[in-house]
Amino acid sequence: MAEPLAGLRAIEFGQLLAGPFTGTLLGDFGAEVIKIEAPGDGDAMRDWGRLRHNDRSLWWSILARNKRSVALNLREPEGQRIAADLAATADIVLENFRPGTMEKWGLGPEDLHARNPDLIYARVSGYGQTGRYRDRPGFASAGEAISGLRHINGYPDQAPPRSGISLGDTLAAQSAFQGILLALIARNNGAQGQVVDASIVDACFAMSESSTLEYEKTGFVRQPTGPRLPRIAPSNVYCSKDGKWVVIAANHDTLWRRLAKIMGRPELGEDERFATHHARGEHEDLLDEIIGEFAAQHTAAELDELVNGGGVVCAPVYTAEDVYKDPYFRERELLVEVEDEVHGRITVPGIVPKLSRTPGSIRQAARWTVGADTEAVLEELERG
């Protein structure tokens, strides 16, 4: 069967990560994605990334898959006219400019809904389309900071660290993708098109659990706690005999008793200091010391086999090299091989989630020439 979004057309405006990654998700599940780029250099992501191969970005090969590239100058009336004509044929418009930019070009929701009332108009920004901060420039780093996400990460008395990825952008893209799917369901149920307003701050804040409610009702402010959650014990990272970090989590009565047996100390499973969830929370430092001593006697591979084999949660902390070499990631099609016109045969992240009847697919490699599909798309537009 076809992918679940097959037959839908999405027009992607914008650049960098949050908006374009939303477009990647749409394309992965079958939508025709037409990416609008500025003539010349195109999307700045074409040149981003820490490392290069064949003097080109590696990131672009992932972000631009399943997309057609059309070059339009949106600052000129002719480019705006063509963009509006394309949007009139679309099911979804996706943009991630600063609020008000698309309106300035005559491509805002009201403009496009006038011609295409069933259009789903998805907007991805730093702070959202409403509120006092809407006009601020927004990157993932700022959204992670003001949402409170950065504050609770890291260690006490240290600068709040960032993740080694653009976490806020990816979360915002997934939020926008979710909103688009919900709007499509609503449309299928008889509603007209609508605006999906997703932001980096929104997506990061949605992960905050009960932290603000805890402050409201008790005055308690969560603080960074390093590799563990206070009073959720044992659940931490432990250093193995060969100097690798391994997660071991036995923060449930049954799991703790299993771990005690694995460590060769079954009596600890019934020890009153550790027998219940609350007791373990009171003695989490001692638990970490005991488990740390056990972990130091085994290699990471041995811990992986011993602890998982005993029915307790355990996982090594992987590097990209570890991920690449573990067959599991190919068995799950989390890593798949595709052809790329610049980099040749490459191994890239696969498509998630996995659908049993209508899975997504990588049907087209990234377009390396800005506007590679302009002529073809405009000819199709003229033919109607």
Side-chain angles (χ1 to χ4, degrees):
M1 296 183 67
E3 294 92 343
L5 301 182
L8 298 178
R9 168 176 278 190
I11 313 298
E12 177 191 305
F13 298 92
Q15 60 178 355
L16 299 180
L17 187 52
F21 185 51
T22 311
T24 304
L25 295 172
L26 291 169
D28 281 352
F29 286 98
E32 177 197 13
V33 180
I34 298 175
K35 179 175 180 61
I36 308 300
E37 300 188 74
D41 293 336
D43 190 334
M45 283 300 296
R46 288 176 173 273
D47 197 46
W48 275 36
R50 297 179 182 177
L51 300 176
R52 303 175 75 79
H53 177 261
N54 290 338
D55 198 35
R56 306 295 281 274
S57 165
L58 289 162
W59 205 344
W60 183 253
S61 296
I62 300 168
L63 193 63
R65 69 191 188 194
N66 290 330
K67 297 180 184 181
R68 306 170 81 184
S69 174
V70 170
L72 293 177
N73 186 346
L74 297 178
R75 291 174 172 79
E76 296 293 334
E78 180 64 6
Q80 295 164 7
R81 181 191 66 77
I82 296 173
D85 288 345
L86 281 172
T89 71
D91 299 279
I92 303 156
V93 157
L94 167 65
E95 65 95 2
N96 73 322
F97 293 109
R98 195 182 299 189
T101 300
M102 292 290 279
E103 284 83 354
K104 181 177 63 177
W105 293 335
L107 297 171
E110 291 187 6
D111 303 302
L112 300 188
H113 278 147
R115 293 181 62 181
N116 185 358
D118 290 331
L119 180 70
I120 309 302
Y121 195 111
R123 321 194 75 167
V124 188
S125 61
Y127 294 86
Q129 304 298 314
T130 59
R132 64 183 63 197
Y133 301 144
R134 70 182 293 271
D135 294 322
R136 289 183 176 184
F139 277 0
S141 54
E144 293 164 20
I146 200 171
S147 68
L149 188 60
R150 281 281 189 97
H151 173 73
I152 59 173
N153 192 26
Y155 290 81
D157 304 319
Q158 293 185 12
R162 71 174 299 161
S163 174
I165 56 174
S166 295
L167 181 62
D169 286 316
T170 301
L171 290 173
Q174 292 175 330
S175 177
F177 182 58
Q178 179 183 33
I180 291 167
L181 298 182
L182 293 171
L184 287 169
I185 292 172
R187 193 179 74 172
N188 288 343
N189 290 335
Q192 286 192 312
Q194 58 184 302
V195 174
V196 175
D197 179 0
S199 84
I200 296 172
V201 174
D202 293 0
C204 291
F205 179 72
M207 298 180 65
S208 64
E209 300 176 349
S210 60
S211 58
T212 50
L213 180 57
E214 291 166 359
Y215 169 73
E216 180 188 62
K217 295 304 181 185
T218 72
F220 176 77
V221 176
R222 289 196 194 185
Q223 299 296 326
T225 57
R228 72 184 187 189
L229 293 175
R231 303 184 69 81
I232 306 297
S235 181
N236 209 333
V237 290
Y238 303 93
C239 192
S240 65
K241 183 179 180 180
D242 51 348
K244 297 181 180 180
W245 293 102
V246 177
V247 168
I248 299 176
N251 49 304
H252 183 277
D253 293 352
T254 301
L255 294 179
W256 165 242
R257 288 192 289 271
R258 290 176 185 169
L259 181 60
K261 292 179 181 178
I262 292 168
M263 294 190 298
R265 303 182 65 179
E267 73 281 0
L268 294 180
E270 305 300 332
D271 190 308
E272 64 180 12
R273 296 171 298 174
F274 313 127
T276 67
H277 172 75
H278 292 293
R280 288 192 298 275
E282 290 288 342
H283 299 91
E284 58 189 354
D285 290 336
L286 178 56
L287 275 173
D288 280 342
E289 181 180 335
I290 292 170
I291 300 169
E293 291 174 355
F294 162 74
Q297 297 170 13
H298 302 277
T299 67
E302 291 169 347
L303 289 170
D304 194 8
E305 183 174 350
L306 276 171
V307 181
N308 276 302
V312 175
V313 177
C314 175
V317 178
Y318 269 3
T319 65
E321 179 182 4
D322 296 323
V323 168
Y324 187 85
K325 292 180 177 179
D326 189 331
Y328 164 81
F329 290 88
R330 287 170 174 79
E331 294 165 357
R332 282 288 296 165
E333 295 186 345
L334 294 172
L335 288 177
V336 296
E337 292 186 3
V338 297
E339 288 292 335
D340 183 89
E341 66 180 78
V342 167
H343 302 303
R345 194 74 174 168
I346 58 175
T347 304
V348 298
I351 294 170
V352 294
K354 311 298 183 184
L355 301 184
S356 62
R357 296 190 184 276
T358 57
S361 66
I362 301 175
R363 302 172 305 285
Q364 176 184 295
R367 300 300 234 182
W368 284 96
T369 301
V370 178
D373 302 289
T374 302
E375 183 177 348
V377 170
L378 296 189
E379 286 180 358
E380 293 168 9
L381 184 63
E382 289 179 5
R383 291 197 303 266

